[in-house]
Amino acid sequence: VGIVRKRSDDADAQSALFRACLAIPDLACARAAADAVVALDPKRQTGLLYQGLLAEAENRLGAAAAAFE
């Protein structure tokens, strides 16, 4: 996790961090990583998918559905 955080400007590293954090689950870490992916590459749909998966994990189903649209 520390190595990935040092590479906070790398969308691929943040994607890996998101997947790891969601699996633990460390939802605060996953949110930060998902938001970083969106901020680093807004055209990359992966960040929106991550935000939807996170919302689903938090049982915010309306937000999850909106993210998946």
Side-chain angles (χ1 to χ4, degrees):
V1 173
I3 292 171
V4 174
R5 288 197 176 139
K6 289 179 184 176
R7 300 205 47 202
S8 61
D9 62 340
D10 184 334
D12 291 330
Q14 292 299 312
S15 289
L17 179 61
F18 170 81
R19 292 189 302 271
C21 291
L22 192 63
I24 294 174
D26 180 343
L27 299 183
C29 174
R31 176 174 305 287
D35 291 346
V37 171
V38 172
L40 289 168
D41 192 354
K43 294 182 181 183
R44 188 177 185 168
Q45 296 297 311
T46 308
L48 299 176
L49 171 67
Y50 292 163
Q51 289 177 334
L53 291 171
L54 178 62
E56 185 178 34
E58 296 172 331
N59 203 30
R60 295 182 301 114
L61 302 182
F68 292 141
E69 289 182 354

